[in-house]
Amino acid sequence: MTKNTKTTLVDIIYDNIRKDITQGILIPGQKINIKELSERYGASLTPIKLALNRLISEKIIENYPRQGMKLKSVEAEEIAEIFDLRLMLDLCFTKEIITTVSYNEMMKEEFKRNVEEHMQSVSSLTSDSPVDVYLQNYDYDYKFHELLMKCSGNKKIVDVFHYINPFLYSNFIFRKQSKDRDIAGVKEHEAILNSILTEDEESLREALRVHNRNSKRTIGLILKVDKIL
């Protein structure tokens, strides 16, 4: 996801910690040692703490008073509940989403660009693709759903979307979802967008349900199998 803001040291450390989580260098339930991270990333304690605070706000890191921080364990049941909440938010604002896009050419183009670039990203994925490419894929995914919420015109709903962090699971399924499913997911985004552009609310509601159901089933199964292994 392209950002126009200047990259800071905290941003870089945040990205490095997230990469370590995604690649399994930091594992769920593991206690976070700030001094070790400082040595690993060659940075002072202050930017490390600020990056960790960002991950705490995203519910990726948990902070316990007098006990320290640890990487959150992700349960399939929790992710299922988040998907249910995400669908509820989507379905509540289908009229507003269609109306916003019909009147806002900039938003329309942003949706189109997101789907096009996302498809290019997932089509280039291989079993050897680096973690940066994987995370870019999920940034496009996150941005698409964030755009839907922004089209509601309701800032509180956007805040709720950010608060529940519906893409928490993306930090833990690196190389565990098939390329076919990645591509199918973007095609489902394309179906959602087509329904918005044709102003077909019933079609939009069904496309949202299909995408949510397929994603929920796939991610849930990956997390459950991980528990067995």
Side-chain angles (χ1 to χ4, degrees), residues 91 94 98 188 190-211:
L91 295 178
T94 49
I98 288 172
E188 289 162 11
E190 189 173 32
I192 291 169
L193 178 57
N194 287 339
S195 297
I196 295 171
L197 296 177
T198 57
E199 301 184 25
D200 187 337
E201 187 181 1
E202 267 316 302
S203 174
L204 173 57
R205 293 174 72 85
E206 180 58 21
L208 288 166
R209 290 190 188 99
V210 168
H211 180 54

Side-chain angles (χ1 to χ4, degrees), residues 32 172 206 218:
I32 303 298
F172 303 98
E206 180 58 21
T218 302

Side-chain angles (χ1 to χ4, degrees), residues 17 20 28 43-44 49 58 65 80 89 98 110 119 122-123 126 142 149 152 155 164 184 189 197:
I17 295 174
D20 282 350
S44 64
K49 290 177 180 177
E58 294 176 357
L89 295 176
I98 288 172
E110 192 167 356
M119 182 59 77
V122 298
S123 297
T126 69
Y142 185 96
M149 292 297 93
S152 72
K155 185 181 182 302
I164 65 174
H189 282 190
L197 296 177

Side-chain angles (χ1 to χ4, degrees), residues 122-173:
V122 298
S123 297
S124 67
L125 284 174
T126 69
S127 59
D128 297 323
S129 291
V131 65
D132 300 87
V133 176
Y134 169 85
L135 291 174
Q136 180 189 51
N137 175 31
Y138 276 95
D139 280 344
Y140 280 122
D141 206 347
Y142 185 96
K143 183 64 174 178
F144 181 88
H145 289 278
E146 184 185 50
L147 283 171
L148 287 176
M149 292 297 93
K150 287 181 177 180
C151 285
S152 72
N154 188 318
K155 185 181 182 302
K156 292 297 182 183
I157 291 300
V158 178
D159 290 343
V160 169
F161 175 83
H162 292 155
Y163 178 76
I164 65 174
N165 190 10
F167 288 85
L168 171 66
Y169 66 82
S170 68
N171 297 285
F172 303 98
I173 62 168

